[in-house]
Amino acid sequence: MVSASALSAQTCADGPVTVGFVPKLDTDPYFQVAGKGAEQAQAEIGGKVVQAAPSQATAEAQIEFINNLVAQQVGVIAISGNDANAVAPALKRAMANGVKVISYDSDVATDARSLFINQALGSSLASMMLQSMSEMIGGEGKFAILSSTPTATNQNAWIDQMKQEMASNPAYKGLELVQVAYGEESEQINQQQTIALVQAYPDLKGIIVPAGIGLPAAARALEEAGMTGKIKLTGLAPASLIRKYIADGSAQDIWWNVSDLGYLAYYAAQALADCKITGAAGETFDAGRLGSYTIGENGEVVLGPAKIVTPANLDEFKF
């Protein structure tokens, strides 16, 4: 089997290239803001940003965009995977055609890319979501998880870790996870699932929503049902979209600088295209105003630590 780094090493650009970003979904504001960060980096170092995303959060939809970007002869594809393995064959074909591949936000199979630009250590995000929920409901009671899709790589890893921490950490012995539901990257379905969870479990105390579209949708659904504050919410979402719920104490949030994620991904993509890096652990590259980054195991580059957003630090987060 030819490794991702071996395929990527076949060609080296002699200047800035076009980087094709393939987010999970075209309507998600998270990826729009990340795209703005990539454009900031492009303005500093040259090249071109092309963002092409599907209207449905499926691997099949992303594959079409991957193939189109290969046909356009972009230098690098940066993808947030809807399904780690389903998109891998298309990404491997792209590399075989001289296109380098990185993932960002949500990883893909490691042999189908050279780098993964991670917003924060997945282990820390899972721990912070569980910690936040426990604190909000007093350390005991039933809670649910409202994830995005059953195949979402990052959400599944976070959910698995939360289950492991609950089983091993005595501090969480009073917590009971009653169900994992899925909002399918749809505001309407997230709202429907939120109300369905409340109806199915009358003594439910909280919901963890590890998805940017889902958390604001869940908050609005509870508000329309007159249940704001009765069911505590935490998870991942732009802080600005749930600002009033954080301010009134009915929700918390785990977040980072989303624009910087796109900015870092663009710098990494250009360094990979120029063969300044290959994706090997220990290699370093410059990322403009963010400074120098070192590649970790399995090609992972971590943007930085996230924070639990509460009324006390809410003003730090503009998005």
Side-chain angles (χ1 to χ4, degrees), residues 115 277-285 293-301:
L115 295 171
I277 55 175
T278 65
E283 292 179 335
T284 62
F285 65 96
Y293 279 80
T294 300
I295 300 171
E297 294 299 318
N298 296 315
E300 183 178 29
V301 179

Side-chain angles (χ1 to χ4, degrees), residues 49-97:
V49 174
V50 175
Q51 183 147 300
S55 57
Q56 291 183 317
T58 66
E60 291 75 16
Q62 285 189 312
I63 289 169
E64 180 179 348
F65 284 92
I66 293 167
N67 294 338
N68 287 341
L69 288 170
V70 173
Q72 293 175 39
Q73 297 183 320
V74 301
V76 182
I77 289 174
I79 183 169
S80 176
N82 278 320
D83 185 316
N85 295 314
V87 297
L91 294 174
K92 290 177 182 178
R93 287 194 298 271
M95 290 191 291
N97 280 282

Side-chain angles (χ1 to χ4, degrees), residues 9-300:
Q10 292 174 1
T11 57
C12 298
D14 56 6
V17 301
T18 297
V19 181
F21 282 81
V22 185
K24 290 182 177 180
L25 192 67
D26 62 353
T27 55
D28 191 335
Y30 176 94
F31 292 109
Q32 295 168 4
V33 172
K36 294 295 184 184
E39 290 171 359
Q40 292 169 7
Q42 179 273 331
E44 294 173 4
I45 61 174
K48 185 178 180 181
V49 174
V50 175
Q51 183 147 300
S55 57
Q56 291 183 317
T58 66
E60 291 75 16
Q62 285 189 312
I63 289 169
E64 180 179 348
F65 284 92
I66 293 167
N67 294 338
N68 287 341
L69 288 170
V70 173
Q72 293 175 39
Q73 297 183 320
V74 301
V76 182
I77 289 174
I79 183 169
S80 176
N82 278 320
D83 185 316
N85 295 314
V87 297
L91 294 174
K92 290 177 182 178
R93 287 194 298 271
M95 290 191 291
N97 280 282
V99 179
K100 302 194 178 185
V101 176
I102 69 172
S103 58
Y104 73 112
D105 173 70
S106 182
D107 201 7
V108 298
T110 56
D111 62 347
R113 51 76 173 161
S114 296
L115 295 171
F116 170 40
I117 312 303
N118 198 351
Q119 60 266 45
L121 285 174
S123 57
S124 71
L125 293 176
S127 294
M128 292 168 85
M129 283 187 274
L130 190 59
Q131 175 190 339
S132 174
M133 176 53 59
S134 181
E135 290 174 353
M136 294 187 82
I137 65 175
E140 62 179 42
K142 296 179 179 179
F143 75 99
I145 295 175
L146 178 55
S147 191
S148 56
T149 64
T151 58
T153 311
N154 44 1
Q155 279 94 344
N156 286 343
W158 297 330
I159 292 167
D160 286 344
Q161 186 186 331
M162 283 187 266
K163 290 178 178 177
Q164 292 169 14
E165 288 198 20
M166 288 174 61
S168 62
N169 190 337
Y172 298 133
K173 65 181 180 181
L175 299 182
E176 181 184 352
L177 174 59
V178 294
Q179 184 179 339
V180 178
Y182 301 96
E184 301 294 344
E185 294 282 5
S186 161
E187 181 171 344
Q188 182 180 8
I189 295 175
N190 273 292
Q191 290 182 334
Q192 291 170 346
Q193 291 282 22
T194 299
I195 299 305
L197 287 169
V198 172
Q199 292 173 341
Y201 305 99
D203 51 353
L204 191 71
K205 285 190 173 183
I207 304 174
I208 294 177
V209 193
I213 289 177
L215 188 51
R220 285 190 291 272
L222 292 177
E223 183 177 27
E224 291 171 5
M227 302 190 71
T228 297
K230 296 177 183 177
I231 307 292
K232 299 294 188 179
L233 295 174
T234 192
L236 306 178
S240 59
L241 296 185
I242 58 167
R243 183 179 182 87
K244 70 176 182 177
Y245 306 106
I246 296 174
D248 68 18
S250 61
Q252 290 185 358
D253 191 19
I254 289 81
W255 208 232
W256 51 89
N257 189 315
V258 177
S259 177
D260 284 353
L261 180 64
Y263 182 95
L264 176 59
Y266 189 82
Y267 264 93
Q270 295 293 354
L272 184 67
D274 290 345
C275 295
K276 294 177 181 175
I277 55 175
T278 65
E283 292 179 335
T284 62
F285 65 96
D286 177 72
R289 57 176 165 77
L290 297 180
S292 178
Y293 279 80
T294 300
I295 300 171
E297 294 299 318
N298 296 315
E300 183 178 29

